[in-house]
Amino acid sequence: MSEFIIKNGHVFDPVQGIKGDKKDIAVKDGKIVDKVGSGAKVIDAKDKTVMAGALEIHAHVAGPKVNAGRWYRPEDKHFDSHKTAGITRIEGGKSIPTVFKTGYEYARMGFTFAMEAAMPPLYARHVHEEIHDTPIIDEAALPVFGNNWFILEYLKNQEIENTAAYIAWILRQTKGYGVKCVNPGGTEAWAWGLNCLTIHDPVPYFDITPGEIIKGLIEANEYLGLPHSMHLHQNDLGNPGNYKTTLDSLKLAEGIKPKNNFGREQVLHSTHLQFHSYKGTNWGDFESGAKEVMDYVNRQKNLTIDTGNVTLDETTTMTADGPFEHHLHGLNHLKWFNVDVELETAAGIVPFIYDPSNAVFCCQWAVGLEIPLYAKDPMRCFITTDHPNAGPFTRYPRVYSWLMSKKVRDELLNGFKKADKVIGATNLANMDREITLYELAAMTRAGPAKALGLAKDYGGLAPGMNADIAIYNINPDKFPSTGPEIEKAFAQVACLFKDGKICVEDGKVVDMGHKKTFWVDAKVNENKQVMHDIKEKFLRYYSINENNYPVPESYAPHQHIIAVDATQ
Amino acid sequence: MRPSEVKKMNTITLTVKKTPELFLECEHVNPDAFAGKTPDQIAKLGAYQGKEISTLGEYFTVAGEAGATAADTKIVINGDCTKMKYIGAKMTAGEVVVNSTCDMYTGSWMSGGKLLVKGNVHSFCGLAMKGGEFTVEGNAGNYLGAAYRGDWRGMSGGILRVKGNAGSDVATFMTGGELIVEGNVDIHIGTHMEGGRIVVKGNANRRVAGQMVKGEVYVFGAINVMMPGFKKIGETELEVDGTKARFTEYTGDMGERHPTRKGVPVYGRLYMKN
Amino acid sequence: MPKEVTDVICPFCGTLCDDLVVSVSDDNKTILGVKNACAIGAEKFNHQRMPGRVKRPRMRQADGTYKEITYDEAIDWTAKMLVKSRKTLMYGWASTSCQAMSIGHEIAEKVGGIVDNCATVCHGSSLIAIEDVGVPSCTLGEVKNRADRVIFWGCNPAHAHPRHMSRYSIFPRGFFTVKGHKGRKIYAIDCRYTDTAKCADEFIQVQQGYDYELLNAFRTAARGEWLPDTVGGVPKEKIIEIVEDLKTARFGIIFFGMGLTHTMGRNHNIDIAINLTRDMNDFTKFAIMAMRGHWNVTGSGQVLGWQYGFPYAVDLSRRDQARHQTGETTSVDLLNRNEVEACFYIATDPGAHFPVDAMISSSRKPTVCIDPHINCTTEISDIHIPVALVGVEVGGCAYRMDNVPIETRKVVDPPEGVLTDEELLTKINHRVDELLAKGGA
């Protein structure tokens, strides 16, 4: 059965500007089409909300640090491992789900794509093994470049062409999607126990600044014309007063124009902005810097951001910002996992409890909500929890409930033990805005797809686009009024189409689909210098041979390869 | 307490009628699961042996009457429970008396009520106890009153008493409550403690309170090898679990981090009876 | 003409050297020689051509002899055993590929197995410690490029990981370590003077069973607190001297092995060594790494990790949940307590490594052993199913001791008709499906 007609649903599609009108969506052979024959299976979407499948633009779901987080936290699965009857495998893990649970839970929430936010190139095979085992959803992974020795050396000499050639080589070796930059320079400093907290702090030995790294990577990304922009996790994450470093970093994108054939309009994507929008000088006078940061973001059309919402749960922090994790461990004394990766990056993991009786964590929660509520353009502001850092992705429905209902979020805000302190240090109490379903569709579908360079086929419901469709039990005319009702509606789709096949029905997984690994193959001119440097470094500094570095084809049996020609 | 004040408990008596070939997972054998149920309903409660789902009624005869709530429910178990796991686990109230040795997870995650085992218990018993009273008249295995794997939250409340000996890894990551072993313990007790009180009336072998952050350990008998991180600071008269004596006092573990109060570190304490 | 296969990954130990060069006969059937491998690794490749290779499954007869049976018969017998048993130990995995493990887990979930790997008798203690306190670690290339203090505590790479010292830990000249071993200070801390100690700058002899106390003393010294005169036979002046030296390191690394995992306290020894490393990070940069033994025990931990959330001793016996409790769901405990009804061994030899009582218990249960060779386990199993040598006759992913994944290569064909682990497990999986569909559950 490959022809379907989804009838009478309320469609929310920013790609076509449809704001809840009743419209039929026709599906044939994996695509959305203008119309189908009378034999098409009818899916009744009356009184339901129809959107494209959502795209997760930044989550830690596949790879060595995610897995270290899993196996070093048996307690995360304690009394939390289960299997629903049917075709699914055993699922487990509250803050770091197993790969089976990851795929099923995203699909149950109406997601059809997830981007693994940070792939250490040396460990790329691991990332792809996990992507392979994650059911239903399409996935891609962003290799990290911000502390890579090749990058540090080329950018020090301002060799953009060499930088681009190396990036293209890495994308091919690792089946990577784009350019991720985490705590630029600071994680290389961390290999000596140090850090870079501003964009001016030089990296030990390499003597380049984070600002130069950020600028250089943006330029190299545009030189290549990649589908996604440079994707940045700024320096000084999580510290009071860090909004200044954030603004300094974002300003580096000023004046740079996007160059690509994918409809992408941003040159810089700033991730989990909540963690980077703090005013104050210490935890005592800690304050929200969301307004200052969003005033800037709103003015700069060539930026996109994602929120990084704190969900006030026990969760696990994990990031390539190695020094930050060491610092966090010093604060909460919980078990600390760290790996420094030769020539490339590092990762740290520390469990974290965002206790709602603590004023600082509640302020972080508020900042995370202020950011999208301040955002003027929902096509440039996406909702994430930096899973699992600020909270598990399974809490997205709860985050939506806070954004879509002032009543729901105020109830929580006013009920905090230290409500007065939280209200005094943040702006949230005075914000009346409620995100609409149309805006939500922009923030979770159309926007991320466009930012990732996938707008042609994903994130919308126009004929010709891929039939990744989510149908929710939400009647826009009778929008649920309580938090739990909103959550329930978004947590269990009525129906999920993936590539034109029904994979989830009434919240139950009924088909594993045919997931694909997305990656970008960028063709560059032959670059003898870079090839020589690669050979040299493998011979002298890496601990594996160059020929054992690439990810074999068998690890990604179904590939969606996006070709880019950067030879002009 | 005057007789008229003794709480009237409805009692369910389980008598073992068949020993499992492997081990029976008795996670429904506790006052919370039995409360409000008839003996027939209790007999139908599930019990796993490997992948085979059986019922309690297959292995026990069920007689008597359960209370309406856990607090009103008493369970008496007769017969050989050596191969029964999870008896009394997660109970929040009520009483359980087992006239037999039990296997693993007896009384684990309990938060209230009274559990009495008139026999030995195996390993992983009383894990992460939150409250209530758990008494073992015989010996206990390893990991008594410890935290679950990977969890930094161990025993936090209640009173756990073993009249015989206990094994190793007792009370790891303890944060509160009181654990008393009247006999000897093996190695590694109170490892990573951050609170609570351990009393060992027999000998404590080695590695006592290793990596202790905070809390109190009292040892009446001998310690074969002292941890280097324990510094003698003096002697003191104390009454500990009914025994008045002179104890040598140590602070430690000096190789570990410690919280501060008003800028002054708060150490863990080890007391050895003179 | 013989040909040379380069960049071959050695499937023996956790060092996972990937620079082997193997000469292979023209017809792809015989290995003629190996370059760059250590003696143990070379033997793994060279013995491929030795006569006496078992090429078909064998079934134990009533009189104790073995009779050849077909793969189909072996697969059918195995599937029936798995479907019938209420709780099956599925142990080993450390010498096969991640791709094979994945299929094995599917089977375990369907039949109610407990999946355990060789860490259970090896670095399981380390995994327990990491579960409790985390671990500050790094990749082996970081050691090569940065380390100027290297401590081998309770391990002997000269014997167990022969090329470790030349590839990573003592001799190589890296980016920031151009002087090679002359720019590093090497400590060996052990209860006896090992061949590794011979390569060290300083050897510290610790009284056997006193590592935990000595590590406690190191941590206490690092905090400047009072120490007793000696700890584990080491004078306090020496302890303080070493700690002060470590604080001046630019990048220190502790490698450890069975000396910590298998002496009194086991996981606690590693726990406190990790905490010492953690403490040293308050002064400088320090990392710690377990010298994993098998070439893919780490891989088994990874696959179990992403599929179930635990690194070993994964109890899937209820088929609808995954549970983990070392001491309960670990192989030796399950066998000692007679808690399983059948045994399924793959890519391992518990007969050689497990305590005798555990193997006596195992021998009384229906048992299948999957291994290229006759070994101590096959001779007490009901069925022995031979398979291709992974990393020699079939490729597959492996994880090094620092968790770096490397895809091993196929260098020669397996013997005619011999299945690979993946092929065999796939067939067992299908047969199990057939039996379950017929109501064999």
Side-chain angles (χ1 to χ4, degrees), chain A residues 199 211 214-215 218 230-235 242-256 267-271 273 276-277 289-290 292-298 300 302-306 380:
Chain A
I199 64 165
I214 294 168
K215 194 111 196 250
I218 295 175
M230 210 279 264
H231 189 125
L232 177 66
H233 156 147
Q234 286 99 199
N235 301 79
N242 65 6
Y243 84 105
K244 292 200 180 122
T245 297
T246 303
L247 288 172
D248 287 342
S249 308
L250 297 178
K251 283 177 180 153
L252 294 166
E254 278 181 21
I256 304 180
V267 301
L268 179 63
H269 176 84
S270 170
T271 190
L273 199 57
H276 302 273
S277 302
E292 285 78 358
V293 174
M294 287 312 290
D295 276 347
Y296 182 78
V297 171
N298 282 332
Q300 298 300 120
N302 66 352
L303 294 178
T304 53
I305 63 160
D306 70 79
R380 294 200 286 120

Side-chain angles (χ1 to χ4, degrees), chain A residues 307-521:
Chain A
T307 52
N309 289 96
V310 167
T311 63
L312 298 171
D313 285 300
E314 172 178 327
T315 188
T316 312
T317 62
M318 55 173 63
T319 167
D321 192 333
F324 168 73
E325 292 290 9
H326 177 244
H327 170 69
L328 194 64
H329 165 70
L331 294 177
N332 75 0
H333 305 297
L334 296 182
K335 50 189 172 176
W336 170 51
F337 200 116
N338 179 82
V339 181
D340 292 283
V341 183
E342 65 215 52
L343 285 87
E344 295 179 356
T345 181
I349 311 169
V350 177
F352 201 82
I353 304 175
Y354 289 94
D355 184 350
S357 66
N358 176 304
V360 170
F361 306 150
C362 297
C363 287
Q364 292 177 300
W365 168 85
V367 170
L369 296 174
E370 288 176 25
I371 286 171
L373 293 173
Y374 277 128
K376 291 221 165 88
D377 185 358
M379 285 293 286
R380 294 200 286 120
C381 171
F382 318 134
I383 299 170
T384 63
T385 57
D386 187 21
H387 166 85
N389 287 284
F393 71 80
T394 45
R395 288 295 197 208
Y396 283 160
R398 183 166 294 183
V399 175
Y400 303 159
S401 76
W402 293 327
L403 290 172
M404 300 176 88
S405 165
K406 178 171 166 67
K407 178 166 145 278
V408 172
R409 65 176 178 260
D410 278 356
E411 209 178 300
L412 185 57
L413 176 62
N414 295 321
F416 287 145
K417 191 164 149 198
K418 307 245 171 83
D420 288 340
K421 187 143 197 250
V422 179
I423 291 170
T426 61
N427 310 302
L428 188 65
N430 304 324
M431 299 176 80
D432 294 331
R433 182 177 176 195
E434 293 179 333
I435 301 290
T436 65
L437 280 165
Y438 185 69
E439 290 171 323
L440 188 73
M443 289 174 156
T444 55
R445 280 104 170 128
K450 182 175 170 193
L452 289 170
L454 296 171
K456 181 165 144 297
D457 297 306
Y458 297 92
L461 296 169
M465 294 177 88
N466 216 52
D468 286 0
I469 307 164
I471 305 170
Y472 295 102
N473 288 318
I474 298 173
N475 183 347
D477 298 330
K478 289 195 202 136
F479 193 75
S481 57
T482 69
E485 282 174 330
I486 300 174
E487 274 189 67
K488 182 164 176 229
F490 280 112
Q492 310 260 286
V493 271
C495 186
L496 180 82
F497 277 85
K498 178 81 192 71
D499 303 310
K501 223 180 191 187
I502 296 178
C503 290
V504 181
E505 227 161 16
D506 294 320
K508 187 172 160 173
V509 172
V510 296
D511 196 302
M512 293 301 165
H514 198 74
K515 72 154 301 155
K516 294 184 289 299
T517 305
F518 284 35
W519 66 277
V520 173
D521 191 355

Side-chain angles (χ1 to χ4, degrees), chain A residues 2-36:
Chain A
S2 67
E3 279 192 31
F4 298 87
I5 179 84
I6 302 167
K7 287 189 82 64
N8 292 321
H10 293 267
V11 174
F12 292 88
D13 183 10
V15 170
Q16 300 177 89
I18 304 173
K19 298 184 184 185
D21 301 337
K22 279 200 212 164
K23 198 174 183 305
D24 292 350
I25 307 285
V27 172
K28 182 176 171 169
D29 295 334
K31 296 279 176 207
I32 297 173
V33 293
D34 285 307
K35 56 179 194 271
V36 282

Side-chain angles (χ1 to χ4, degrees), chain A residues 43-60:
Chain A
I43 304 294
D44 179 18
K46 182 165 177 297
D47 295 335
K48 299 193 204 289
T49 293
V50 181
M51 294 186 184
L55 286 90
E56 165 71 89
I57 195 167
H58 182 113
H60 300 278

